[in-house]
Amino acid sequence: SQQGEEDPQALSIQEGENATMNCSYKTSINNLQWYRQNSGRGLVHLILIRSNEREKHSGRLRVTLDTSKKSSSLLITASRAADTASYFCATEGGYQKVTFGTGTKLQVIP
Amino acid sequence: DAGITQSPRYKITETGRQVTLMCHQTWSHSYMFWYRQDLGHGLRLIYYSAAADITDKGEVPDGYVVSRSKTENFPLTLESATRSQTSVYFCASSARRGAYEQYFGPGTRLTVT
């Protein structure tokens, strides 16, 4: 069964707006990663946040982690058409097992 | 070319046939993974390998066989393809398991008729 579940399943915004997507998970984790998948391509790693971290930044990306709520959010600021993709969270629980969620499909309209 | 490659990129096969999907990485990563991606299920782990000659089952291993005689190659074989194995298959590699970035190949779209 999937550990992480992204919300919303799909999101459509105008270029320049911010995009926020969320990931909820069920059991304790060691870390959480976010990946991007462009249409017809493989996944590309974006950022990793460890369970003892609350927030992390990378360029226009901001990731937060709330272990008490078992949730994470990915914020993309000042979105661009090139950000159009599916975004997946991946959680690492026990035994170094990494489980991917079902993804959020983001469309950025120019 | 450096990176991780998969072949073929597209494959159509008939029910009951054996088909092998190839994966090759040039980083000498210890870990390699096979996932399948289906609508509504996200990515599900089929098999993974921690090193040459060491493989282990993932979430959905039934109907699949893997081998890893060399660090750089990790082929996935469907011994007798079924329509339920129609999917997009991704190979990935990582220096270590767990809190380490996985590098994904471009995927193989397999259709079983």
Side-chain angles (χ1 to χ4, degrees), chain A:
Chain A
S1 62
Q2 297 294 337
Q3 165 72 311
E5 289 189 11
E6 287 89 343
D7 173 64
Q9 290 187 328
L11 179 62
S12 183
I13 60 173
Q14 296 289 327
E15 200 166 29
E17 294 181 338
N18 296 340
T20 300
M21 52 206 86
N22 305 294
C23 171
S24 60
Y25 55 91
K26 297 175 183 174
T27 60
S28 296
I29 61 171
N30 297 322
N31 63 75
L32 185 145
Q33 303 177 56
W34 284 92
Y35 285 79
R36 183 188 75 233
Q37 182 181 33
N38 290 92
S39 181
R41 310 287 289 271
L43 278 70
V44 174
H45 183 264
L46 295 176
I47 197 165
L48 178 149
I49 186 165
R50 298 185 187 278
S51 59
N52 61 353
E53 297 175 310
R54 292 295 167 257
E55 188 171 311
K56 208 160 180 182
H57 296 255
S58 177
R60 294 184 295 113
L61 305 180
R62 173 180 166 244
V63 169
T64 61
L65 180 62
D66 187 334
T67 53
S68 66
K69 294 182 179 178
K70 291 186 171 60
S71 69
S72 172
S73 67
L74 170 66
L75 168 68
I76 304 174
T77 59
S79 63
R80 306 167 181 169
D83 295 327
T84 293
S86 292
Y87 293 81
F88 294 85
C89 67
T91 53
E92 187 221 331
Y95 303 103
Q96 299 180 310
K97 180 182 175 184
V98 175
T99 305
F100 287 82
T102 52
T104 290
K105 195 167 186 177
L106 171 66
Q107 181 185 26
V108 180
I109 303 167

Side-chain angles (χ1 to χ4, degrees), chain B residues 17-32:
Chain B
R17 289 195 180 267
Q18 182 181 83
V19 60
T20 296
L21 310 183
M22 303 301 292
C23 179
H24 175 80
Q25 55 106 351
T26 61
W27 294 299
S28 298
H29 282 164
S30 295
Y31 281 87
M32 295 187 75

